[in-house]
Amino acid sequence: MQLQKRYDILDGLPSYGPMYIPVSADGEQFYSEGFVVRFYKSDGNEWVANFKPGWTDCSLVVDYPDNNRIVVISKGQGYIMTPGQQTPIDTFGVDIKEAIKMEDNKIVLVDDIYVRLIDDKGAIWQSERISWDGIKNIELKGNILTGLSYDPMDSINEWIPFSINLDTKEIVGGSYRRYPIA
């Protein structure tokens, strides 16, 4: 049995047809063109969403048809949608910089201070704070995520290694964890 197509990423807002629906985390209705996605409802109808963008260049769509969820990242802003509903089920982030889709259909999302993991059912886990203000050199080997986190506390402004076991959620290292906070 072939699955019905549930979405298309569009190059821009359509110039004809029904009006697009603005989708934002804050309910704002008026903003410039964002990340544009056409959704196909199970009844054969369709609608176009103009997702308000976040603060980065990271955009992506991942479908979880078994749970009727579609994860949309619009230039750093995350949305969890269903094709039949024109408002988000949930929103998250605003500054997601990197997204890695894993073989088991999970998504690793990285911003400047946290790592998020969206599982194969669309549930979101967010790490404790890892960095003061910057994460780079992200690598995923199996279920271990490694990278560098920025430490501005020193006069030398270092990048501190960290790792996360995405199965156990154990975090080792990271610049934020170097200093005891009461």
Side-chain angles (χ1 to χ4, degrees):
M1 181 177 145
Q2 186 175 357
L3 290 176
Q4 175 185 353
K5 187 175 196 172
R6 293 167 35 100
Y7 73 90
D8 276 321
I9 298 171
L10 304 180
D11 292 332
L13 293 170
S15 55
Y16 57 89
M19 182 68 170
Y20 65 86
I21 305 297
V23 179
S24 65
D26 58 8
E28 184 177 352
Q29 296 288 309
F30 303 103
Y31 48 88
S32 300
E33 181 176 288
F35 187 58
V36 183
V37 179
R38 174 175 284 125
F39 290 100
Y40 300 98
K41 296 181 179 183
S42 58
D43 66 5
N45 290 316
E46 58 188 60
W47 63 282
V48 174
N50 180 31
F51 287 96
K52 183 177 179 184
W55 303 339
T56 72
D57 291 330
C58 182
S59 295
L60 122 120
V61 179
V62 178
D63 194 359
Y64 295 97
D66 293 343
N67 300 308
N68 195 29
R69 300 284 187 269
I70 296 177
V71 174
V72 176
I73 308 296
S74 172
K75 297 188 182 248
Q77 174 65 57
Y79 301 89
I80 297 182
M81 304 291 296
T82 67
Q85 185 176 326
Q86 297 175 345
T87 56
I89 294 169
D90 197 4
T91 62
F92 55 93
V94 74
D95 60 348
I96 296 165
K97 290 184 163 185
E98 288 190 56
I100 303 169
K101 186 172 177 190
M102 300 173 67
E103 289 179 14
D104 57 1
N105 217 21
K106 295 176 185 172
I107 312 167
V108 178
L109 303 169
V110 181
D111 63 28
D112 279 330
I113 57 177
Y114 298 107
V115 170
R116 290 179 183 85
L117 178 68
I118 301 179
D119 70 16
D120 58 347
K121 295 171 181 48
I124 303 170
W125 170 80
Q126 180 175 293
S127 71
E128 296 173 24
R129 189 169 184 166
I130 296 170
S131 176
W132 286 98
D133 190 22
I135 294 177
K136 69 178 187 177
N137 297 353
I138 294 297
E139 288 187 38
L140 180 64
K141 291 182 181 168
N143 285 330
I144 305 295
L145 183 77
T146 60
L148 298 175
S149 62
Y150 185 65
D151 185 351
M153 300 302 205
D154 248 325
S155 61
I156 56 174
N157 297 319
E158 355 177 32
W159 288 90
I160 307 301
F162 73 90
S163 67
I164 302 175
N165 180 320
L166 297 174
D167 290 333
T168 65
K169 312 300 190 277
E170 180 185 5
I171 302 169
V172 176
S175 63
Y176 192 78
R177 301 164 59 84
R178 291 177 85 181
Y179 307 98
I181 297 175

